[in-house]
Amino acid sequence: MRAKITYAVTAAVLVVYFVLVGSRGVLLIQNGTAVTVPFGIAVLVLPVIGVWFLWKNTQFVRKANRLAAELDAEGGLPVDELRRTPSGRIDRESADEVFARRRAETEADPDDWRSWFRLAIAYHDAHDTPRARKAMQRAIALREGKPVAS
């Protein structure tokens, strides 16, 4: 729940920022000089890119959460079996062991979105965020019946 609140607050702050930057871009364009108009247009591009990025990430999170809820309803969410250090950090060897099992599971059935979802969690636990995201994107695509590149 804390992660959802943090995401919502961050998204709200970004939207406010996009509005402020966009209004500055409009003011620059309204100034109407040869320097301020192109600069204003360039300033307006930033919020557009930011809104697109925020939208894509929000869609990704919503789809991943939907898969998690579905997997939870099936009783298929992976159990947290990771050992932790006294400070609460995940033990690296433990994460590697779980990752090896999840990778083998995914290699055995590469068309199952559930195994890709669990692999994404194992990547995340191993602190490999880019691969975790790719694995989750693949799980989402498989669940939605979209074509997936090999």
Side-chain angles (χ1 to χ4, degrees), residues 39-107:
F39 190 59
I41 291 169
V43 168
L44 283 177
V45 169
L46 295 175
V48 170
I49 292 170
V51 166
W52 174 83
F53 184 76
L54 183 61
W55 175 254
K56 294 302 274 184
N57 277 303
T58 302
Q59 291 299 95
F60 173 77
V61 169
R62 291 179 73 206
K63 289 177 182 181
N65 284 340
R66 214 173 298 132
L67 291 187
E70 185 175 339
L71 203 54
D72 187 31
E74 295 174 359
L77 276 180
V79 178
D80 185 3
E81 55 191 308
L82 299 168
R83 292 184 306 274
R84 302 193 187 273
T85 64
S87 65
R89 292 184 183 265
I90 294 172
D91 179 59
R92 182 75 173 161
E93 285 183 24
S94 176
D96 290 343
E97 291 169 11
V98 171
F99 174 77
R101 286 200 317 270
R102 299 291 180 228
R103 185 179 60 210
E105 174 188 329
T106 304
E107 288 171 353

